Amino acid sequence: MKIAIIDGQGGGIGKRLIEKIRKATPDSLEIIALGTNSIATFGMMKAGASKGATGENSIVVQANKVDVIMGPIAILIANSIMGEITPKIAYAIGNSEALKILIPVNKCRTKIPGIQNKTMNQLLDDAIEELLIYYNTNNPEKN
């Protein structure tokens, strides 16, 4: 199974996701770090991604080559993350056939009701739980 972790700025959310995935799942999962900038990609690679790439074209190309896309919900909003998410990136992710497991972050002029009582760590744990459910029901080796 291939998982793309997409993040921008310093890659903090992506880095934490990768660390949690590596603790919770087998090493056989291929985690692809896709940063909107080199700092984000570097941070995610350091956290344990299998490989990484940077920039709009890398994200657009990889969006249809993975089984799961994870990252902050802002990756679906054009011009978010201080302009790092281009309309092409948002479109490619939104139209990808991959399962999208998104972290609901109340930033980028977007409010998501119902999450105000959860910490970032709890939100990331919820995302990992969703990934494990998907992995365990869609992994031919486990069935």
Side-chain angles (χ1 to χ4, degrees), residues 75-133:
I75 63 175
L76 285 178
I77 302 170
N79 303 312
S80 65
I81 310 183
M82 295 182 66
E84 291 185 33
I85 301 299
T86 66
K88 283 184 182 179
I89 289 173
Y91 182 85
I93 294 167
N95 285 308
S96 171
E97 291 294 318
L99 172 67
K100 290 162 241 359
I101 301 174
L102 304 173
I103 310 304
V105 182
N106 284 327
K107 289 189 177 180
C108 302
R109 299 195 47 82
T110 302
K111 293 290 181 190
I112 304 157
I115 67 159
Q116 52 273 47
N117 294 326
K118 288 198 171 189
T119 66
M120 178 58 71
N121 215 35
Q122 290 170 318
L123 294 170
L124 295 174
D125 287 342
D126 290 349
I128 299 305
E129 186 176 322
E130 290 296 327
L131 175 63
L132 291 173
I133 290 167

Side-chain angles (χ1 to χ4, degrees), residues 24 35 51 54 119:
K51 55 184 156 181
T54 302
T119 66

